[in-house]
């Protein structure tokens, strides 16, 4: 490896390659991949730079404060999470239960908590996600990380210090976002299909108390997820995609040439956080109540109302089309609200008071198009109409019964409820017919058996 680099993007590329090379060093990892408890333990350990005690392992010769070593350590956590919790197949069923029992959910929640928490005043080397509101925070960070261990000191000494610090902090912050995104993705998958895993979100407690500038206090894993939504409050989807580079230098565009590379990463992280919220709120009343009391519903409503197309009652789309990078995030936001409304009556009433939100939820459900088509063709068939989600039913019933919606229900909303009543009647009639057929079949069988006994 050369000891002298060019400035700018070339320096960033070589630093990235150096970090990749160090990750390939097999001797750097002594974790037994088959031992899930060991894996979970290593994932949840404090970051090297958060350790202030000199005699702690890996703090010798400035390793704990070395920005390169810190970035490598974060990349190693990413690889661990991807290897053991990086897909739905690894997180569901018996394996998901084993991961929870091994402490994996607690460890991953600790990771996302450390990354979103404000820097410890006693430790200027704490790693957090790059600030959104204050671009000057990045300058403070790369001045604070003006340290390299013996192994990496030549990288800084043989280059312009400011250029090196900018490239290094860019790599660190980019890796921090990647780690948060991967961790949130694993929480999303772990929460899917397991009530015990979802309950673990609420029972987790942070390693230390934390109060944010807006007064938000972190007491459990649910609160941690809310902070990832609060992070982008006031920013539209496109505002997020246009976020400047971590070091407040010229914007680095993504492959499309439209949005910034950082913006794409931020959107992916937000989308994964919304997925974790949607899955963890599924059929879990106490989790839903905690989300509501911690202010999540207002954050999600704002994000949908102010970031979707103009809503209307004529069947027009209110969700972004497939060309928009935030389309999936919108669907997960709406899905989260529907799940919350199912188990929390306060959420249902709140959503029922906003006509635009109801339109978005209806389109997310996917039933309004089927209703429009059936009306145009004068058909009464319910074919193509999906089962009405209990959360959406709760919202519509709250609007109808509690007079929560100013102006009352419009035609589409009324039709949704009427079609659901018809569907239930059809389903009930079919169930009664099925039971009658089974009863007749049983009687016939018993009669045949009796006749056989008589003959014998």
């Amino acid at each position: 490896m050369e000891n002298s680099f060019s400035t700018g993007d070339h320096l960033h590329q070589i630093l990235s390659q150096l970090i990749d090379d160090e990750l390939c060093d097999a001797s750097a990892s002594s974790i037994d991949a088959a031992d899930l408890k060991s894996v979970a333990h290593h994932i949840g350990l404090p970051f090297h730079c958060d350790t202030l005690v000199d005699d702690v392992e890996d703090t010798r010769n400035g390793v704990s404060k070395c920005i390169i070593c810190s970035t490598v350590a974060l990349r190693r956590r990413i690889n661990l999470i991807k290897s053991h919790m990086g897909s739905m197949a690894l997180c569901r069923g018996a394996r998901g239960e084993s991961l929870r029992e091994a402490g994996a959910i607690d460890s991953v929640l600790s990771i996302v908590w450390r990354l979103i928490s404000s820097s410890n005043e006693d430790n200027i080397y704490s790693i957090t996600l790059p600030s959104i509101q204050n671009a000057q925070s990045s300058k403070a960070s790369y001045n604070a990380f003006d340290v390299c261990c013996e192994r990496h000191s030549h990288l800084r000494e043989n280059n312009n210090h400011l250029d090196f610090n900018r490239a290094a902090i860019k790599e660190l912050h980019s890796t921090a976002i990647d780690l948060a995104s991967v961790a949130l993705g694993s929480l999303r998958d772990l929460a899917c299909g397991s009530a015990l895993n979802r309950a673990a979100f609420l029972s987790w407690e942070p390693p230390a108390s934390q109060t944010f500038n807006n007064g938000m206090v972190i007491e459990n894993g649910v609160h941690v997820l809310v902070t990832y939504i609060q992070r982008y409050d006031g920013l539209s989807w496109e505002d997020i995609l246009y976020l400047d580079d971590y070091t407040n230098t010229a914007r680095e565009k993504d492959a499309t040439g439209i949005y910034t590379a950082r913006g794409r990463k931020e959107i992916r992280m937000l989308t994964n956080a919304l997925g974790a919220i949607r899955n963890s709120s599924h059929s879990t009343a106490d989790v839903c109540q905690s989300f509501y009391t911690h202010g999540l519903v207002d954050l999600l409503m704002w994000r949908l109302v102010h970031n979707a197309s103009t809503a209307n009652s004529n069947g027009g789309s209110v969700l972004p089309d497939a060309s928009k990078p935030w389309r999936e995030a919108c669907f997960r936001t709406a899905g989260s609200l529907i799940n919350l409304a199912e188990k929390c009556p306060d959420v249902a009433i709140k959503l029922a008071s906003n006509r635009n939100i109801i339109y978005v939820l209806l389109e997310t459900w996917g039933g309004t198009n089927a209703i429009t088509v059936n009306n145009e063709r004068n058909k009464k068939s319910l074919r193509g109409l999906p089962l009405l989600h209990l959360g959406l039913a709760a919202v519509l019933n709250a609007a109808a019964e509690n007079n929560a919606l100013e102006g009352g229900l419009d035609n589409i909303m009324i039709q949704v409820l009427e079609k659901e009543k018809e569907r239930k009647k059809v389903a009930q009639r079919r169930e009664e017919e099925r039971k009658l057929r089974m009863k007749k079949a049983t009687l016939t069988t018993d009669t045949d058996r009796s006749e056989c006994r008589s003959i014998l």
Side-chain angles (χ1 to χ4, degrees):
M1 179 66 65
E2 299 176 7
N3 289 342
S4 179
F5 305 135
S6 303
T7 59
D9 291 340
H10 187 50
L11 176 57
H12 170 69
Q13 292 171 4
I14 296 180
L15 281 177
S16 180
Q17 183 61 51
L18 181 146
I19 292 169
D20 289 340
D21 292 342
E22 293 202 8
L23 282 172
C24 294
D25 182 6
S27 63
S29 176
S30 59
I31 303 172
D32 181 4
D35 185 354
L36 292 183
K37 287 188 176 181
S38 177
V39 171
H41 170 73
H42 281 83
I43 289 174
L45 285 174
F47 301 138
H48 288 312
C49 55
D50 288 335
T51 307
L52 297 175
V53 183
D54 292 336
D55 60 351
V56 173
E57 182 182 2
D58 286 335
T59 63
R60 299 179 298 278
N61 300 322
V63 170
S64 68
K65 301 180 178 104
C66 174
I67 190 169
I68 304 300
C69 290
S70 295
T71 305
V72 171
L74 294 188
R75 290 277 192 93
R76 193 164 287 128
R77 307 277 181 108
I78 292 174
N79 290 344
L80 271 177
I81 295 174
K82 283 184 175 180
S83 298
H84 298 276
M85 295 172 276
S87 69
M88 185 70 75
L90 293 173
C91 294
R92 293 198 68 177
R95 181 175 171 80
E97 305 295 330
S98 298
L99 284 168
R100 184 195 71 252
E101 293 169 358
I105 293 178
D106 290 348
S107 293
V108 176
L109 283 170
S110 295
I111 284 285
V112 295
W113 171 79
R114 292 183 191 281
L115 289 171
I116 199 69
S117 298
S118 301
S119 296
N120 187 333
E121 295 179 357
D122 298 325
N123 184 7
I124 61 174
Y125 300 98
S126 291
I127 292 178
T128 59
L129 295 169
S131 173
I132 286 181
Q133 302 299 336
N134 182 12
Q136 299 302 314
S137 64
S138 294
K139 292 186 177 181
S141 297
Y142 63 68
N143 287 332
F145 272 101
D146 195 15
V147 175
C148 280
C149 65
E150 291 179 357
R151 184 171 45 160
H152 298 127
S153 60
H154 67 283
L155 301 175
R156 184 173 179 276
E157 292 169 358
N158 295 333
N159 290 278
N160 178 280
H161 289 186
L162 184 59
D163 288 337
F164 171 79
N165 288 350
R166 281 176 174 168
I169 197 64
K170 178 180 180 180
E171 190 66 32
L172 178 68
H173 278 165
S174 177
T175 303
I177 292 179
D178 288 340
L179 176 57
S181 184
V182 168
L184 289 166
S186 70
L187 290 173
R188 174 200 64 215
D189 293 343
L190 285 165
C192 184
S194 173
L196 291 176
N197 284 3
R198 294 193 288 272
F201 284 47
L202 200 57
S203 61
W204 175 85
E205 295 181 357
S209 61
Q210 180 73 43
T211 303
F212 286 77
N213 294 334
N214 59 3
M216 186 177 289
V217 180
I218 305 300
E219 298 176 340
N220 54 51
V222 167
H223 296 170
V224 173
L225 294 179
V226 176
T227 61
Y228 276 83
I229 311 304
Q230 175 67 40
R231 171 178 170 82
Y232 304 100
D233 190 34
L235 296 178
S236 69
W237 303 111
E238 287 194 316
D239 288 339
I240 298 171
L241 284 161
Y242 284 125
L243 282 172
D244 287 333
D245 191 15
Y246 314 95
T247 53
N248 204 27
T249 57
R251 290 180 175 179
E252 177 190 359
K253 297 293 181 66
D254 67 355
T256 66
I258 302 174
Y259 306 117
T260 65
R262 176 190 173 181
R264 286 280 187 177
K265 286 178 178 283
E266 296 273 4
I267 280 289
R268 183 164 59 249
M269 181 171 67
L270 175 57
T271 302
N272 285 346
L274 290 166
I277 289 171
R278 180 198 59 193
N279 289 355
S280 62
S281 60
H282 176 68
S283 301
T284 313
D286 50 355
V287 171
C288 291
Q289 187 63 41
S290 183
F291 274 130
Y292 174 70
T293 56
H294 212 60
L296 175 67
V297 175
D298 288 331
L299 294 171
L300 296 184
M301 287 179 67
W302 179 89
R303 183 146 295 286
L304 279 184
V305 170
H306 293 276
N307 291 279
S309 304
T310 302
N312 60 76
S313 59
N314 299 318
S317 176
V318 294
L319 287 169
D321 59 40
S323 67
K324 299 294 189 284
W326 56 87
R327 176 177 170 84
E328 180 61 26
C330 272
F331 274 92
R332 292 183 181 183
T333 302
S336 298
L337 288 173
I338 291 174
N339 282 346
L340 292 167
E342 177 185 353
K343 292 298 180 180
C344 185
D346 291 332
V347 175
I349 293 173
K350 191 176 188 68
L351 297 178
S353 65
N354 191 305
R355 191 175 297 274
N356 287 352
I357 284 290
I358 296 177
Y359 290 147
V360 175
L361 300 185
L362 284 171
E363 186 174 347
T364 304
W365 165 60
T368 54
N369 289 337
I371 292 172
T372 302
V373 170
N374 284 338
N375 285 341
E376 290 175 352
R377 297 177 181 177
N378 295 319
K379 291 182 178 181
K380 295 183 179 180
S381 172
L382 300 179
R383 186 175 301 172
L385 188 63
L387 178 67
L388 185 63
H389 192 288
L390 293 177
L392 183 53
V395 173
L396 292 175
N397 286 325
E401 298 170 4
N402 299 328
N403 297 319
L405 182 63
E406 184 177 354
L409 302 184
D410 60 28
N411 288 335
I412 284 185
M413 299 175 190
I414 293 173
Q415 287 182 64
V416 169
L417 289 177
E418 289 180 349
K419 292 288 186 180
E420 180 62 12
K421 290 178 182 178
E422 291 178 24
R423 189 202 62 78
K424 285 184 176 181
K425 289 180 180 178
V426 171
Q428 185 178 3
R429 184 176 67 252
R430 288 176 178 173
E431 178 63 15
E432 291 173 353
E433 291 173 352
R434 184 189 67 83
K435 289 180 178 179
L436 181 60
R437 287 196 301 270
M438 289 185 65
K439 184 177 181 180
K440 287 181 178 180
T442 301
L443 290 174
T444 301
T445 302
D446 292 341
T447 301
D448 293 341
R449 288 176 178 172
S450 299
E451 291 177 353
C452 289
R453 291 193 192 98
S454 299
I455 295 173
L456 293 174

